[in-house]
Amino acid sequence: MSGRRFDLPALVLGVAALLGSLFAFSTGGPAPVDLIHVRGAGLIVIVALGVLAVLGGVLRLRVLVIVAGTAFVAAAVIQLLQAGQAVNLLGGDGSTLALMGGLGLGLLAVALTPRPLSTDRKTHDESERTA
């Protein structure tokens, strides 16, 4: 990732994934508090991919953000296919699906957005047009 303004969204989404994993430690309080059900393998997936997204944002490595986003979307599809089934590898439900899908699509949108080559070139091109 080459621009400073594009690594911050990847970093924020990675941190959001890590914060989302904290719902695994909720005590199952009243319905308004118990927003996301994260447990089992789904917790491991969210933490691992959240760390990968944070690394991609900090190191400005677009490929890491793409890998994390793609893996989140794949995990969301797996969760969708296993919803209501006896076998649920990720141990989640619709809330887990929404969290993983949202993070994955957000990371892919951030990583796949075309970027200008350089801000200096843009400034140079604009100064030539006005001259």
Side-chain angles (χ1 to χ4, degrees):
M1 300 179 72
S2 58
R4 287 183 183 243
R5 64 183 177 156
F6 292 105
D7 54 312
L8 182 61
L11 179 65
V12 168
L13 286 167
V15 170
L18 295 174
L19 290 175
S21 69
L22 294 177
F23 282 100
F25 304 110
S26 70
T27 60
V33 176
D34 195 14
L35 299 175
I36 302 170
H37 302 121
V38 180
R39 56 190 175 273
L43 176 62
I44 295 168
V45 168
I46 290 172
V47 170
L49 296 178
V51 168
L52 190 63
V54 167
L55 285 175
V58 169
L59 300 175
R60 297 186 185 124
L61 292 175
R62 199 173 183 184
V63 69
L64 291 180
V65 178
I66 291 171
V67 168
T70 303
F72 265 127
V73 169
V77 169
I78 290 169
Q79 184 61 58
L80 175 64
L81 294 174
Q82 294 179 349
Q85 303 295 322
V87 175
N88 189 343
L89 297 175
L90 297 177
D93 58 10
S95 64
T96 313
L97 164 69
L99 177 65
M100 290 179 178
L103 290 168
L105 293 175
L107 287 167
L108 287 175
V110 166
L112 298 176
T113 300
R115 293 162 181 76
L117 295 176
S118 171
T119 56
D120 293 333
R121 181 178 173 100
K122 183 178 177 184
T123 305
H124 178 68
D125 290 343
E126 289 176 0
S127 64
E128 284 182 354
R129 280 187 237 153
T130 58

